[in-house]
Structures are given as C-alpha cells and as structure tokens.
Amino acid sequence: MNFNTLCVIGLGYIGLPTASTFAAHGVNVLGVDINEAILATLRNGDIHIHEPGLREEFQSALKTGRLTFASTPAPADAFIIAVPTPFYEGELGEANGVQFKKADMRAVTSAAESIVPHLRKGNLVVLESTSPPRTTVDLVRPILERSGLLAGRDFHLAYSPERVLPGQILRELIENARVIGGVTRESAQAGRDLYATFVKGQIIQTDATTAEMVKLMENTTRDVNIALANEFARLADKFGVDVWEAISIASLHPRVKILSPGPGVGGHCISVDPWFFVESAPELTPLIYHARIVNDGQPRQVVELVRKAAGALKGQRIAALGLAYKPDVDDLRESPAAEVVHLLQKEGALVKAFEPFKPEGLPDMECVPTLEAAVKDADVILLLVNHTDFRALTPAALRPLTAAKILVDTVNGWDGRDWDGAGFKLHRLGVNK
Ligand code: SAJ
C-alpha cells in the first residue's frame, strides 16, 4: 500500500519524532495535539522536548512543507495514535489481595474517537501507545467501528509499539526492529508498508495482542532484573560487600548479566508498563508485582543511606545532584531522584536540587541553576543521577566549591577517586565495607 497522507495524534516524546521522521521521508503529515501551547511552539519552529537531534530533524521536516499541525484530525490515508497511557493518580485497583495501579486509557479512547468522523475505506489506523493486552481489539476496535466500517474488512487496524530509548530516539526509530501486530494479516501488512517508509531494522508481523504483550514483556523483563540488582544491593549492604564489585565479577559468567542498582526505576515506561500486566491478571503476576514493590522502595533505601551517612536528616543541608529519571535526559517523569528529594524534605532535611538538563526543576522543591549554588553551603552532597558531567567530577574540582565532607553516591558514579585525600567521606549505595 502507498501512504501519502498521515495523521499523527499526540505530539510528545514519541509522536513528534515519528511525525518528523515520516515527513522527512516524503509523507504529508498532520501532527495533532489537544495542547494549544504545544501547537503554537511547533508552528513557531521550536520544540517542547529535549531529545538529541530532534530539533534539527523537526526543522528540516518543517522546511519541506510536509509537516503541519492542528488540534483535531483530518482525513488521511493512515492514522497513528501516540498518546500517553499513564495510570490513575491516587486510585488503586484491588483483586486477589493485591493492590495495583490502573491504566488511564482516556487519552487513547478520545484519540480513537477523534478519528471516527474521518475514517474512510482502505485507511490504516495504528495504535503505538503502550497499553494493557487486548486494548487494540477490545477498546480501540469497537470505537473505530462506530464509523460503520469494519476493522480488518473496510479498514486496517494494527498495534505497533514504539521501542526507542529516550536519548537515542531518532536513531532507534529507524534502526530498531519493529513489530507490527494486525487484527488481520492484511492489517499487519499495511502497517509494514507504512513503517517501511523509514524503518531499516527488521519488521516483524504478528497479531495485535501478541505485539501488545511483546512490548510489556520487554519492559517487565528490565524492571524485574533491576529489582533483582536492587535486592542484591540490600544483601551486599547486610553482608559487608561491595555490590558493584560483586556484580561486575558475577557478570563475567557467560550467561549472567546483572543490571545496576540505583535510587529506583523511573520514566514513563518501565515503572508503568508492568502494572498493565498486574492489572490485567493479578492472580498470575506475583513476581512482576513484587519487582515493582522492590523498585518503588528504592528511594526510601536511599533516604536511609543518607541518614546513616549524615547521622540525622532534620536540618541537614543536602545538595541533590540530578532530578531526571536517568542519565543525560531532561525527563523528570516518575523520577526516583525527585521522590528521594521529597522524602528527604519530609524528614526535615533542607535540600537544594540541581538538574542541569532542566534547571527550573520541580515546583515543590528548591532548585538552583548551577552546581556551585547547590553544593556551596551543603553538609551532604547526594549523587542521584549519573549524568556525564556529574560522573566527571573530581575531588580537586569539587573541593573548592564546598565545605561538605559527606558524599553519598547512589549510582556508582564516583568510585575509584581519592575523595579521602580531599577531605570527603564517600558512601555508596550497596557498599558496606
Ligand atoms: N535503571 C536502573 N538500573 C539499570 C538500568 C536502568 O536502575 O541497570 C533505571 C534508570 O535509571 C531509569 C529506569 O531504570 O530510572 C528506566 O531506564 P531505562 O534506560 O532502562 O529505560 P527507559 O524507560 O528510558 O526506556 C525503556 C526502554 N526499554 C528497554 O530497554 C527494555 C526503551 O527501549 C522503551 O522504548 C521504553 O522503555 C518505552 O518507551 O517503553
């Protein structure tokens, strides 16, 4: 099939790079978002998210004239839904004695509804948003069929998860293997034809529910493995071991690769997606559930580490380095670093946070625009995110900026330097030697 026009609904971390990449590859793209402020920014030739290379890709797509914006969809050959699927804040589901977070599918629902008036015979609709298993067939399909057209007969319907790594989205969009799950074989084939516009990686065709499960399995695997690393860190602390040393040795085994402990799991994917399995089948998911509990408990572990290092928390002046959910990105969503700061504040600590990728930080904490301002009057310097610039800090560079004596490293960024020689005492997560 040939696709000349495409509507991309949702212009966030995935929708915007996807829309730009399609436009750069010759497709006429209408980018749709309900947020007028985002549309205004984009129409001005600017972007609202930080992603390496995106500004250039976006601006060159704009110059071709093939990328335009609107707040509602218009008729097109294909539609892509790339809206968020967060979970309901503060509202838990319960079944089988297990409490779980529930997916908020309202954005997917209204995106699908917004397509209905524009749907034509022969169109393709692709859901990209990470969703609980069976969303494409049980939620999206019936909404689209309100048009009077039947999925798989009159129009194609597919699920194709994005699997790109924030920080490397543009490269991975093109190079990663792409899975396309159709409600029929023909739908999967139509999806393949669309993404073959730019995807250089392998394109795998399957059914929609398999594709949904694949996506959740990938992120759940990572979450469970990070939980294991975090549990190892707790054990190492108990037994007087350096978990980082133990992990590096164990990972020499040809069939063992242990991930890294840290302050927890953040971002909009790995800390969220496993709940979609738990919500869908709480009776089948004790391991996945407990991995989530372990990872969500890491910020508390960090607070206790700081308490141990500093003796007390109340009134302690703490410089928190990093608020992003992982190194070298500006994304603060579901960030365990931010959670650590909140917990420290609740304990009466006086925290100054510095996030170089988002200096304005978060409204409910004191955020400073420079490293110097963060560490100047600090008693404790707490490394929460392994940003390249933080990792590169040396005792000689840090000493003139602060009188602090206590360093707490939760991400193994500062090992192997002579901190003692510069009058610092370094405490590391998962190390008790
Ligand atoms: N983390 C650890 N220890 C580790 C690795 C990561 O504590 O050893 C933490 C990070 O600091 C971060 C969180 O886990 O807080 C998640 O980071 P990540 O880099 O593992 O993943 P994301 O959320 O940035 O992107 C993931 C990717 N999935 C996988 O690697 C399986 C990406 O490919 C997906 O597209 C993305 O989720 C998504 O959108 O689902």
Side-chain angles (χ1 to χ4, degrees):
M1 278 179 78
N2 263 334
F3 298 95
N4 297 318
T5 54
L6 169 69
C7 240
V8 177
I9 303 168
L11 297 174
Y13 278 86
I14 297 304
L16 186 59
T18 302
S20 305
T21 305
F22 270 112
H25 285 77
V27 179
N28 287 300
V29 180
L30 179 67
V32 177
D33 205 290
I34 52 168
N35 186 327
E36 288 291 348
I38 290 177
L39 294 178
T41 304
L42 297 174
R43 285 188 183 116
N44 267 336
D46 209 351
I47 57 174
H48 58 294
I49 49 185
H50 169 89
E51 173 64 30
L54 179 58
R55 183 178 301 276
E56 296 74 17
E57 176 85 352
F58 168 73
Q59 288 173 347
S60 72
L62 263 192
K63 274 199 200 107
T64 64
R66 286 194 294 266
L67 181 57
T68 53
F69 307 99
S71 55
T72 51
D77 298 330
F79 299 84
I80 289 177
I81 301 175
V83 295
T85 47
F87 36 65
Y88 281 103
E89 281 301 331
E91 193 189 317
L92 297 175
E94 193 170 346
N96 283 43
V98 167
Q99 285 201 320
F100 47 79
K101 301 190 182 181
K102 290 193 302 178
D104 177 353
M105 301 304 290
R106 284 176 297 183
V108 170
T109 301
S110 65
E113 286 170 348
S114 74
I115 295 172
V116 173
H118 307 290
L119 198 60
R120 305 280 178 269
K121 272 197 169 186
N123 279 174
L124 164 67
V125 180
V126 183
L127 175 64
E128 283 203 16
S129 311
T130 306
S131 302
R134 299 193 61 83
T135 295
T136 307
V137 289
D138 289 348
L139 179 73
V140 175
R141 178 180 196 151
I143 294 174
L144 294 175
E145 290 186 343
R146 287 182 207 157
S147 62
L149 303 174
L150 280 186
R153 188 192 72 184
D154 303 321
F155 68 94
H156 298 296
L157 175 60
Y159 180 78
S160 182
E162 56 78 14
R163 297 150 99 198
V164 290
L165 196 68
Q168 309 201 19
I169 292 182
L170 290 171
R171 187 176 59 77
E172 290 206 1
L173 258 186
I174 290 175
E175 290 177 8
N176 283 7
R178 182 113 207 171
V179 54
I180 318 252
V183 298
T184 57
R185 276 172 197 275
E186 294 72 26
S187 286
Q189 182 60 43
R192 181 197 188 89
D193 294 344
L194 175 66
Y195 287 95
T197 308
F198 64 77
V199 171
K200 295 213 178 79
Q202 196 186 351
I203 300 181
I204 303 112
Q205 288 161 241
T206 180
D207 66 86
T209 308
T210 301
E212 289 165 348
M213 230 183 120
V214 163
K215 166 72 186 187
L216 298 180
M217 283 164 56
E218 291 167 357
N219 282 350
T220 300
T221 299
R222 202 155 164 83
D223 195 45
V224 171
N225 282 299
I226 296 169
L228 191 59
N230 284 328
E231 219 160 78
F232 287 154
R234 298 175 192 186
L235 289 167
D237 191 53
K238 181 177 166 76
F239 296 127
V241 164
D242 175 339
V243 76
W244 306 94
E245 181 192 4
I247 286 175
S248 70
I249 299 170
S251 295
L252 293 175
H253 186 288
R255 287 173 296 285
V256 174
K257 174 80 191 80
I258 301 171
L259 294 179
S260 302
V265 170
H268 206 54
C269 313
I270 297 189
S271 65
V272 178
D273 300 358
W275 287 114
F276 293 171
F277 274 144
V278 178
E279 174 185 1
S280 310
E283 73 287 3
L284 301 178
T285 46
L287 175 65
I288 297 172
Y289 170 78
H290 283 104
R292 281 279 70 245
I293 298 299
V294 169
N295 287 335
D296 278 353
Q298 278 308 102
R300 174 51 63 186
Q301 297 282 321
V302 171
V303 169
E304 295 315 316
L305 177 63
V306 178
R307 194 198 303 278
K308 203 166 127 196
L313 292 174
K314 199 167 170 39
Q316 203 71 233
R317 292 170 301 178
I318 299 175
L321 303 191
L323 289 174
Y325 83 92
K326 68 172 190 176
D328 299 329
V329 301
D330 74 336
D331 193 342
L332 310 190
R333 289 180 299 178
E334 310 293 330
S335 170
E339 171 73 4
V340 170
V341 173
H342 288 141
L343 291 174
L344 287 169
Q345 285 174 326
K346 278 197 198 130
E347 298 281 345
L350 308 170
V351 186
K352 279 188 184 156
F354 169 51
E355 171 45 67
F357 288 90
K358 212 164 212 163
E360 72 274 23
L362 290 167
D364 51 3
M365 59 183 70
E366 185 180 350
C367 296
V368 293
T370 60
L371 175 73
E372 288 79 353
V375 301
K376 190 164 169 279
D377 299 315
D379 305 311
V380 178
I381 300 174
L382 171 61
L383 178 61
L384 289 171
V385 185
N386 217 354
H387 288 317
T388 306
D389 284 357
F390 290 161
R391 203 164 49 231
L393 275 173
T394 59
L398 197 55
R399 186 72 285 172
L401 306 179
T402 180
K405 294 198 169 58
I406 300 166
L407 304 180
V408 179
D409 175 0
T410 65
V411 289
N412 202 30
W414 287 343
D415 187 28
R417 269 155 256 180
D418 183 16
W419 297 102
D420 288 351
F424 291 108
K425 173 84 182 93
L426 177 66
H427 302 260
R428 294 153 68 217
L429 180 90
V431 182
N432 188 1
K433 305 185 88 160

